[in-house]
Amino acid sequence: MAAAQLSILDKGNPPDSPYATYNFQQVGTAPNAEVKINNAETVIFKSQVPIPFFESPKLNLELRRKPGNRVLFGNLPNPSRTGAIKINPGEEISEIYVFI
Protein backbone atom coordinates (compact mmCIF):
# COMPACT_ATOMS: atom_id res chain seq x y z
CA MET A 1 0.00 0.00 0.00
CA ALA A 2 2.79 2.44 0.82
CA ALA A 3 4.34 2.16 -2.67
CA ALA A 4 1.07 2.48 -4.61
CA GLN A 5 -1.65 5.08 -4.89
CA LEU A 6 -5.22 3.99 -5.63
CA SER A 7 -7.96 6.07 -7.24
CA ILE A 8 -11.46 5.59 -8.65
CA LEU A 9 -12.25 7.00 -12.08
CA ASP A 10 -15.77 7.21 -13.54
CA LYS A 11 -15.34 6.75 -17.28
CA GLY A 12 -18.88 7.93 -18.01
CA ASN A 13 -22.02 6.07 -18.91
CA PRO A 14 -23.51 4.18 -21.84
CA PRO A 15 -26.14 6.10 -23.86
CA ASP A 16 -29.54 6.40 -22.13
CA SER A 17 -28.01 5.69 -18.70
CA PRO A 18 -29.82 7.39 -15.80
CA TYR A 19 -26.52 8.00 -13.98
CA ALA A 20 -24.39 11.12 -13.89
CA THR A 21 -20.60 10.99 -13.88
CA TYR A 22 -19.23 10.91 -10.33
CA ASN A 23 -16.01 12.00 -8.68
CA PHE A 24 -14.51 10.15 -5.74
CA GLN A 25 -12.20 11.28 -3.01
CA GLN A 26 -10.07 9.22 -0.69
CA VAL A 27 -11.09 9.32 2.97
CA GLY A 28 -8.23 9.40 5.45
CA THR A 29 -4.78 7.99 4.87
CA ALA A 30 -3.71 5.09 2.65
CA PRO A 31 -3.80 2.67 4.27
CA ASN A 32 -6.58 4.06 6.44
CA ALA A 33 -5.27 4.36 10.00
CA GLU A 34 -8.70 3.91 11.61
CA VAL A 35 -10.51 1.22 9.58
CA LYS A 36 -9.51 -2.41 9.06
CA ILE A 37 -11.71 -5.12 7.51
CA ASN A 38 -11.01 -8.67 8.72
CA ASN A 39 -7.74 -7.27 10.11
CA ALA A 40 -6.65 -6.17 6.60
CA GLU A 41 -5.58 -2.65 5.63
CA THR A 42 -8.09 -0.51 3.77
CA VAL A 43 -8.22 2.44 1.40
CA ILE A 44 -11.58 4.17 1.59
CA PHE A 45 -13.24 6.27 -1.13
CA LYS A 46 -16.47 8.23 -1.05
CA SER A 47 -18.37 9.76 -3.95
CA GLN A 48 -18.56 13.54 -3.67
CA VAL A 49 -22.33 13.41 -4.22
CA PRO A 50 -24.73 10.54 -3.46
CA ILE A 51 -25.20 7.95 -6.20
CA PRO A 52 -28.89 6.95 -6.55
CA PHE A 53 -30.06 3.37 -7.00
CA PHE A 54 -31.57 2.59 -10.41
CA GLU A 55 -32.65 -0.73 -11.97
CA SER A 56 -29.55 -0.75 -14.18
CA PRO A 57 -26.17 -0.99 -12.41
CA LYS A 58 -23.68 1.86 -12.56
CA LEU A 59 -20.93 0.85 -14.99
CA ASN A 60 -17.46 2.12 -15.82
CA LEU A 61 -16.14 2.81 -12.33
CA GLU A 62 -12.47 1.86 -12.52
CA LEU A 63 -10.16 1.20 -9.61
CA ARG A 64 -6.70 2.34 -10.73
CA ARG A 65 -3.22 2.03 -9.32
CA LYS A 66 -0.35 4.46 -9.71
CA PRO A 67 2.43 4.43 -10.72
CA GLY A 68 1.54 3.24 -14.19
CA ASN A 69 -2.18 4.18 -14.10
CA ARG A 70 -2.94 0.46 -14.20
CA VAL A 71 -6.63 -0.58 -14.14
CA LEU A 72 -7.16 -3.11 -11.32
CA PHE A 73 -10.96 -3.38 -11.81
CA GLY A 74 -12.75 -2.08 -14.91
CA ASN A 75 -16.28 -2.21 -13.49
CA LEU A 76 -16.50 -1.96 -9.73
CA PRO A 77 -19.52 -3.71 -8.24
CA ASN A 78 -22.55 -1.74 -7.12
CA PRO A 79 -23.89 -1.85 -3.56
CA SER A 80 -26.88 -4.10 -3.07
CA ARG A 81 -30.26 -2.51 -2.35
CA THR A 82 -30.82 -5.23 0.22
CA GLY A 83 -27.33 -4.93 1.69
CA ALA A 84 -26.36 -3.31 4.95
CA ILE A 85 -26.91 0.44 5.16
CA LYS A 86 -24.77 2.47 7.52
CA ILE A 87 -26.38 5.57 9.01
CA ASN A 88 -24.05 8.53 9.39
CA PRO A 89 -25.56 11.70 10.84
CA GLY A 90 -27.92 12.94 8.14
CA GLU A 91 -27.09 10.37 5.45
CA GLU A 92 -27.48 6.70 4.59
CA ILE A 93 -24.36 5.03 3.21
CA SER A 94 -24.13 1.84 1.15
CA GLU A 95 -20.70 0.24 0.94
CA ILE A 96 -18.87 -2.18 -1.30
CA TYR A 97 -15.67 -4.02 -0.49
CA VAL A 98 -13.06 -4.93 -3.07
CA PHE A 99 -10.23 -7.20 -1.98
CA ILE A 100 -6.95 -6.97 -3.90
Side-chain angles (χ1 to χ4, degrees):
M1 294 274 200
Q5 181 182 8
L6 299 175
S7 63
I8 297 178
L9 175 67
D10 186 347
K11 292 195 62 171
N13 304 292
D16 300 324
S17 172
Y19 292 100
T21 301
Y22 300 92
N23 293 309
F24 293 82
Q25 62 192 35
Q26 183 178 309
V27 177
T29 58
N32 191 291
E34 298 177 12
V35 179
K36 287 193 171 199
I37 305 294
N38 293 334
N39 208 31
E41 293 180 334
T42 62
V43 178
I44 300 172
F45 294 94
K46 182 177 181 179
S47 63
Q48 291 180 346
V49 297
I51 302 173
F53 282 116
F54 291 110
E55 292 298 318
S56 302
K58 171 72 177 126
L59 302 176
N60 301 321
L61 293 178
E62 293 183 343
L63 179 63
R64 293 175 169 236
R65 178 180 175 239
K66 294 179 183 177
N69 210 24
R70 183 173 152 212
V71 176
L72 299 176
F73 289 91
N75 284 303
L76 287 170
N78 286 232
S80 170
R81 285 186 158 179
T82 59
I85 302 289
K86 179 170 44 174
I87 304 296
N88 209 16
E91 65 181 338
E92 295 181 355
I93 300 172
S94 297
E95 299 178 332
I96 61 164
Y97 302 93
V98 177
F99 296 91
I100 53 173

